Amino acid sequence: KGPFHHHGRSTISSTRLLAMRDNNNENAHPNYSDNKNKNDLQEATSYYYATCLPGMQEILCKELMELDGIFISSEGGSNKGVAFEATRKGALRALIWVRTCHSIMERVCTVEYGIETRQDLYYFIQDNVNWKDLLLLNSNNKIGTLMVKAILNNYGATTPDSDLTHSHYTALTVKNALVDMVRDDTEQRPDVDTENPDVPLTIVLDRNGGATLYRLLHHPSSLHKRGYRAAADTKIHAAAMKESMAAGLLYMSGWDALIEDTRSSSDKKACLIDPMTGSATLCIEAALMAANIAPGLMRIRDNSYHQIPPVVRWKQNNDNDNGGENNVLSMWKELLLEARQAMDLPF
């Protein structure tokens, strides 16, 4: 997994870990939580990473474990997120139901060390990414629009002289590597779209010179934004609690368990008192939990970009035996319908 020189340029020897894996080899999977049925491994899975606020990873992990088609990895997590493996349907289900995450990303390729210069990063992308798998859409092999964001997790701590210590130029290097590959093969140049990209990408560098390329399943905006906040031209308190933080605190308080008790017995009642309401985030999130309203439904109601997320547009998702013209789009609509039917409204 370290760097080596090939044809006069610095390249990276790494295993490409893109999308559909060979699930016939059960030993290839990481350790899963005990509450999962091993029969679920019959379906193809991908590696994902869900991000959250620091300290919320245990709550996020529990949320993911409760969803079908998701298997928690014992490796690769941090205090800011959870690594997991999932079927495509499991990942879509997480996109609709998980309340404490900020983003859900599919891992494209990774290397443990050796990324020290822009050239290293450029050739790491070119040598480990199949641009057709990554950028083609399900509509007539159209090349999708892209956006690249860079996250530098203490990168430069051990290599302070590296030319990858600026997130803008790091993202630009990844974008250039992809654009050059497409242009060399097709003489076309993919467009960059910062508003609603078909393929939102995130490159993460760590302090040891490792790099991982992810693509977001959803619109680049954070998933903590449900859409019920005041309009953009209305001021919100600078210290307003994030929706994901409120949901996490409610889980920690046992509010979800109390709600379940009231559903199982008509004699029990649930009451939440918030004497310091402020922007009412805790109360609103508590009400959403009590009514079993998925946060994904709230985002779709507020923002059209979330109605058909990027993951539904990707071509490789539809190339399967069970498909139909757009299997993932059908799957997405089915899960949204299930979420609507699961709502427990008091009227």
Side-chain angles (χ1 to χ4, degrees):
K1 292 185 178 180
F4 67 98
H5 293 276
H6 177 60
H7 299 308
R9 73 186 192 191
S10 177
T11 62
I12 301 299
S13 172
S14 63
T15 302
R16 185 164 170 263
L17 297 170
L18 224 180
M20 300 303 184
R21 299 177 65 244
D22 178 11
N23 296 289
N24 294 323
N25 181 6
E26 194 171 54
N27 294 327
H29 295 268
N31 294 326
Y32 300 128
S33 56
D34 293 335
N35 67 329
K36 297 301 182 182
N37 190 331
K38 292 295 183 180
N39 291 331
D40 289 340
L41 300 181
Q42 300 295 327
E43 298 181 52
T45 59
S46 300
Y47 284 112
Y48 297 90
Y49 191 81
T51 65
C52 62
L53 290 170
M56 284 289 173
Q57 71 278 6
E58 291 187 10
I59 299 297
L60 173 56
C61 184
K62 290 178 181 178
E63 282 197 277
L64 290 168
M65 287 172 61
E66 291 177 356
L67 299 176
D68 291 336
I70 291 179
F71 315 96
I72 305 299
S73 172
S74 61
E75 302 175 1
S78 71
N79 70 331
K80 297 180 181 179
V82 177
F84 65 99
E85 193 170 350
T87 63
R88 183 63 75 194
K89 194 169 187 176
L92 292 176
R93 193 174 280 116
L95 194 55
I96 294 172
W97 280 105
V98 176
R99 301 179 188 275
T100 55
C101 75
H102 285 190
S103 65
I104 301 177
M105 308 181 291
E106 180 183 32
R107 189 166 76 184
V108 177
C109 56
T110 187
V111 68
E112 292 182 358
Y113 63 93
I115 306 297
E116 299 179 358
T117 66
R118 291 185 199 170
Q119 186 183 44
D120 291 336
L121 181 60
Y122 180 93
Y123 287 119
F124 163 66
I125 297 298
Q126 288 224 330
D127 292 342
N128 291 277
V129 174
N130 183 327
W131 73 264
K132 293 181 180 179
D133 288 345
L134 188 68
L135 299 179
L136 286 184
L137 304 184
N138 56 38
S139 54
N140 300 322
N141 289 327
K142 178 183 175 183
I143 299 172
T145 59
L146 61 91
M147 185 194 81
V148 183
K149 173 186 176 182
I151 298 176
L152 310 181
N153 285 341
N154 295 320
Y155 185 85
T158 57
T159 54
D161 297 328
S162 171
D163 53 3
L164 290 172
T165 55
H166 194 292
S167 59
H168 171 74
Y169 294 111
T170 300
L172 191 63
T173 300
V174 174
K175 187 268 294 182
N176 289 342
L178 292 169
V179 168
D180 289 349
M181 278 195 291
V182 176
R183 187 178 55 193
D184 291 345
D185 285 354
T186 68
E187 297 185 355
Q188 299 181 57
R189 182 183 178 90
D191 293 327
V192 172
D193 184 352
T194 58
E195 291 295 322
N196 186 25
D198 297 312
V199 187
L201 299 169
T202 298
I203 182 71
V204 180
L205 303 185
D206 64 45
R207 62 179 299 151
N208 297 317
T212 304
L213 180 66
Y214 296 97
R215 59 178 177 179
L216 273 72
L217 275 62
H218 52 85
H219 183 268
S221 61
S222 176
L223 295 178
H224 83 270
K225 298 178 181 179
R226 314 283 197 241
Y228 57 72
R229 292 290 197 192
D233 57 351
T234 303
K235 289 185 177 180
I236 300 176
H237 195 282
M241 184 181 297
K242 280 185 169 63
E243 296 90 320
S244 55
M245 170 67 81
L249 293 176
L250 287 164
Y251 279 126
M252 290 178 183
S253 73
W255 175 249
D256 57 321
L258 183 59
I259 292 297
E260 287 301 317
D261 287 343
T262 62
R263 290 197 179 108
S264 61
S265 174
S266 58
D267 296 332
K268 296 181 179 180
K269 303 294 181 184
C271 179
L272 182 137
I273 300 174
D274 182 7
M276 302 175 64
T277 302
S279 300
T281 311
L282 271 172
C283 295
I284 295 172
E285 289 296 317
L288 292 175
M289 286 185 182
N292 202 33
I293 298 176
L297 294 180
M298 299 295 293
R299 286 190 293 269
I300 288 172
R301 176 178 175 272
D302 175 71
N303 191 331
S304 61
Y305 290 157
H306 288 286
Q307 293 177 3
I308 306 294
V311 62
V312 175
R313 309 173 206 165
W314 302 336
K315 180 175 177 60
Q316 69 169 352
N317 297 329
N318 307 306
D319 297 339
N320 56 60
D321 296 333
N322 303 322
E325 184 173 325
N326 193 336
N327 182 52
V328 177
L329 178 57
S330 299
M331 195 183 295
W332 175 248
K333 291 180 177 179
E334 173 191 336
L335 291 172
L336 289 177
L337 179 60
E338 287 180 3
R340 293 188 181 98
Q341 293 173 342
M343 291 191 298
D344 186 15
L345 300 176
F347 49 80

